[in-house]
Amino acid sequence: MARQKGIIKLKGTIGDITFYKSKDGYIAREKGGIDANRIATDPAFQRTRENGSEFGRAGKAGKILRMALRAVLLHSADSRMVSRLTQQMLKVIRADATSVRGLRNVIDGEAELLAGFEFNINGKLGTSLFIPYVGTIDRVSGTISVAIDPFVPMHMIAAPSGSTHFKIISAGTEIDFETGTFAETHTETNILPWDATETLAILLENEVPPNSTKPLFLALGVEYYQEVNGEMYPLKNGAFNPLALVKVDGGV
């Protein structure tokens, strides 16, 4: 693979060279590759098929998680979040010490490896929110919550330039990766001023089915706003809104 240089950028195929535009710029690469039927049947490509199967399973699991958290992800994800999440899901699957290679899965893997995953690398929760918080997953009651003591916004939230207000958001979800189904609820604070006035204590509770045996997730984030003539506008369309998985219980 090579980058195209010069004034004229090509797209399409000339001879054995394919020209196209990607997120990394204009790329040129040679056509080729191994016949798909050979990869699907040749014993020499057994490991390739196994890796492909698990990669596909990771992509599907990542899609289910994204769907479950869609309500809070709409304004809190970077352009490469999907691929980053797929790679992290692959680590979860490869941690499965029970299933044979090629059949490893999220349920028997280590879903807890997803804890700390940042959905927006342009605005990470870990470098934006400095408030001590307590995330709780109560599997028996089905309550997934986050508690935050009173704090001074300007001291404890590193808001991007132009912010005048913010709100804290959270979501709790139960996911069945085998059936592709989920249960989710999300809660949020009111839009609060980003100033030197101490807030009240915050408790955001999200309910999922009680006594669940499925993986449970708690997401926490911040959305920034700019007040203009009394109206609240999402700051830069949410480009810097952080959101992360702050607590994960892989199931029983």
Side-chain angles (χ1 to χ4, degrees):
M1 182 176 68
R3 295 180 184 275
Q4 297 186 52
K5 293 184 177 180
I7 299 175
I8 300 175
K9 305 300 183 184
L10 302 177
K11 292 184 180 180
T13 301
I14 300 177
D16 291 331
I17 306 297
T18 298
F19 302 88
Y20 63 98
K21 182 179 180 181
S22 74
K23 294 177 181 177
D24 297 313
Y26 287 86
I27 304 297
R29 70 179 181 187
E30 186 177 4
K31 291 174 60 180
I34 301 170
D35 180 71
N37 183 62
R38 183 184 173 193
I39 293 176
T41 59
D42 192 330
F45 290 95
Q46 177 65 26
R47 289 291 176 263
T48 301
R49 291 193 292 274
E50 292 170 352
N51 291 336
S53 176
E54 292 184 351
F55 185 81
R57 198 170 293 117
K60 182 179 179 180
K63 181 178 180 180
I64 296 169
L65 179 59
R66 298 196 312 273
M67 290 172 60
L69 296 175
R70 179 174 172 76
V72 292
L73 267 179
L74 283 173
H75 305 295
S76 304
D78 65 78
S79 61
R80 296 192 175 184
M81 179 271 290
V82 173
S83 60
R84 292 191 300 105
L85 181 58
T86 299
Q87 290 299 323
Q88 194 63 23
M89 277 292 187
L90 198 55
K91 293 180 181 179
V92 171
I93 288 172
R94 287 174 174 169
D96 176 0
T98 303
S99 308
V100 298
R101 183 173 176 143
L103 296 178
R104 292 177 294 188
N105 59 84
V106 175
I107 299 299
D108 296 315
E110 294 292 337
E112 286 82 1
L113 291 174
L114 293 167
F117 181 81
E118 297 274 3
F119 290 96
N120 188 3
I121 58 174
N122 298 316
K124 295 181 180 180
L125 187 70
T127 57
S128 303
L129 191 68
F130 299 97
I131 310 163
Y133 58 83
V134 177
T136 302
I137 294 179
D138 189 329
R139 187 172 288 279
V140 175
S141 68
T143 302
I144 301 177
S145 63
V146 60
I148 301 173
D149 288 335
F151 65 95
V152 176
M154 291 187 71
H155 296 170
M156 304 303 287
I157 296 179
S161 177
S163 301
T164 62
H165 290 73
F166 71 96
K167 69 179 176 183
I168 295 177
I169 61 176
S170 77
T173 184
E174 172 211 57
I175 300 180
D176 187 332
F177 288 102
E178 292 181 323
T179 64
T181 57
F182 58 85
E184 181 271 351
T185 56
H186 53 277
T187 51
E188 59 189 35
T189 65
N190 294 325
I191 296 178
L192 304 171
W194 186 67
D195 59 17
T197 302
E198 187 175 73
T199 69
L200 299 175
I202 295 170
L203 177 62
L204 300 175
E205 293 185 320
N206 308 290
E207 302 297 328
V208 297
N211 298 307
S212 171
T213 61
K214 309 300 181 183
L216 303 176
F217 300 85
L218 170 61
L220 178 66
V222 184
E223 292 186 356
Y224 300 111
Y225 295 85
Q226 186 176 72
E227 183 179 12
V228 179
N229 296 327
E231 296 290 332
M232 296 294 176
Y233 297 89
L235 186 69
K236 297 182 180 179
N237 294 320
F240 301 108
N241 291 344
L243 182 76
L245 292 174
V246 297
K247 200 170 185 63
V248 178
D249 187 327
V252 296

